[in-house]
Amino acid sequence: MRDRFNIDELRGFACLLLVSLHVVGHDPGVAMRVEDDSWFRYGVESWTFVRMPLFTFLSGLVYAMRPARRERLPDFYGKKLRRLGIPLLTVAPAFFILQAITPGTTASPDWYEFLTIPILPYQHYWYLQALLLIFFGVGLLDAHGLISRPRPFIALSAVAVVLNLTFANTLHKSVDLFAVSQAAYLLPYFLLGVAFTRFHDSLTSGAARLGALAVVVVGTLIHQATLWDLIPGEIERTDAVGLLTGSAAALVLIQLMPRVSPLRHLGHYSYAIFLHHMFFQAAVRIVLMRVGAEDWQIFLLATAGGCVGPIILQRLASYNPWTRTALLGAA
């Protein structure tokens, strides 16, 4: 599977989408402080249906190459807790403290939020909590052979779709324990990645490819029409259009992504970039905003800093087993 598809390139591409989003910010009051009608905001909003679904699809795809087994289930859980849980307890609090004490940041954290980081969503680290829930649930079913055949797998996928459309993102973060509503948002994409590995032929047939491409085109046109105010209202990422477009985009991208050395290099460090890009992009952005740099300069240099900084950090942290575990969740 790894030899046939450029998985690392896609990871690198997903990293660029994530870092650039956080450079621009979710609204005009944070990060670059650009207005809603800015081209920068339009650019990052255009990838809303692809960004986190693509990350999660790739996680499911890679998981399915070495799924959980009953005799090794405790070891599987232990590795996932180390890989995802330790950075949640180390990296996320470190970012909170740094953001709280650094002049020029665009957020004012509530210190009560600091105490709830292990159990409630905080910044983009909610993804670690949600992915842990998915690994624990899917791993348990896999370990007992309950979703190894197509019919039960399809049944689970149908449940995941219903949860995505009805429950995902419905809880306020103050009560969203372990980001369970975010896990509901991600679960269909994770299962799609598992299906791409496990039932590969069904999802790579000519008809499946053509259908996925058609869904991407139609979904993108609808999304663009809302961004340009050509049709009223907004399409949420948990709407049917968002779910279908994100799923189809993952299937199209995994089959069409070419070999691109810079993206492949980024992909090798994708987890470090996910964990630590906020530290570096924010530092670069704050400095550039203070010296009066142009928006395009801030965007490019802060995005680059958010990618290069974590690569350097991973290389340095890897020399010591303590820092490797604390900063990267690695053994």
Side-chain angles (χ1 to χ4, degrees):
M1 184 69 69
R2 285 185 179 273
D3 295 333
R4 292 185 59 189
F5 301 102
N6 296 313
I7 296 173
D8 282 327
E9 278 84 350
L10 273 183
R11 281 174 165 165
F13 179 62
C15 285
L16 287 178
L17 295 180
L18 181 65
V19 175
S20 60
L21 169 67
H22 289 145
V23 170
V24 174
H26 291 278
D27 61 67
V30 299
M32 284 178 60
R33 299 189 179 97
V34 296
E35 297 300 323
D36 285 333
D37 59 357
S38 163
W39 283 103
F40 296 102
R41 187 166 309 286
Y42 165 74
V44 297
E45 289 292 336
S46 292
W47 292 98
T48 297
F49 298 156
V50 177
R51 194 163 30 243
M52 300 316 293
L54 181 58
F55 263 119
T56 312
F57 169 82
L58 294 173
S59 294
L61 186 154
V62 173
Y63 158 80
M65 296 178 187
R66 297 182 63 184
R69 295 287 181 251
R70 180 181 297 189
E71 65 277 7
R72 297 186 61 84
L73 189 59
D75 182 58
F76 172 81
Y77 282 165
K79 288 180 177 178
K80 295 308 176 187
L81 280 171
R82 184 197 68 224
R83 188 65 165 161
L84 301 172
I86 289 180
L88 180 64
L89 299 177
T90 56
V91 179
F95 179 73
F96 182 100
I97 293 171
L98 189 64
Q99 188 179 47
I101 65 176
T102 301
T105 58
T106 54
S108 300
D110 177 357
W111 283 95
Y112 171 77
E113 195 176 22
F114 175 81
L115 300 176
T116 63
I117 285 175
I119 59 173
L120 293 176
Y122 170 66
Q123 295 286 353
H124 65 294
Y125 300 106
W126 63 263
Y127 188 78
L128 303 177
Q129 298 168 326
L131 205 56
L132 262 177
L133 290 182
I134 291 172
F135 274 127
F136 273 54
V138 174
L140 182 65
L141 294 174
D142 249 341
H144 290 84
L146 299 177
I147 53 173
S148 58
R149 292 176 290 108
R151 285 189 178 181
F153 191 91
I154 291 172
L156 177 62
S157 298
V159 172
V161 167
V162 171
L163 288 174
N164 178 281
L165 297 176
T166 60
F167 178 63
N169 291 351
T170 59
L171 299 180
H172 188 271
K173 68 177 184 178
S174 62
V175 295
D176 194 6
L177 284 174
F178 302 107
V180 63
S181 76
Q182 303 290 349
Y185 161 58
L186 297 176
L187 183 57
Y189 306 109
F190 185 90
L191 293 176
L192 183 63
V194 174
F196 190 82
T197 297
R198 193 165 292 175
F199 313 115
H200 178 73
D201 291 344
S202 299
L203 293 175
T204 56
S205 65
R209 291 182 182 184
L210 186 60
L213 184 59
V215 170
V216 169
V217 171
V218 173
T220 300
L221 288 175
I222 294 173
H223 187 210
Q224 289 298 309
T226 62
L227 293 178
W228 286 94
D229 294 325
L230 299 177
I231 57 177
E234 295 182 5
I235 301 176
E236 300 294 334
R237 60 182 185 172
T238 53
D239 289 339
V241 172
L243 175 60
L244 289 171
T245 305
S247 300
L251 292 176
V252 170
L253 287 170
I254 189 64
Q255 296 177 79
L256 295 184
M257 175 60 74
R259 287 187 69 89
V260 182
S261 294
L263 287 180
R264 190 173 189 83
H265 187 67
L266 284 182
H268 287 315
Y269 297 92
S270 60
Y271 190 48
I273 293 172
F274 173 83
L275 289 175
H276 299 286
H277 72 274
M278 292 287 279
F279 294 90
F280 295 96
Q281 67 84 10
V284 174
R285 174 178 50 77
I286 290 171
V287 170
L288 291 174
M289 291 176 72
R290 283 185 178 178
V291 301
E294 299 288 336
D295 282 346
W296 69 268
Q297 295 171 322
I298 297 171
F299 178 78
L300 291 178
L301 293 176
T303 300
C307 293
V308 174
I311 292 175
I312 297 172
L313 179 64
Q314 177 172 330
R315 290 182 175 180
L316 294 174
S318 297
Y319 286 111
N320 182 280
W322 291 98
T323 55
R324 189 166 59 240
T325 300
L327 298 178
L328 302 167

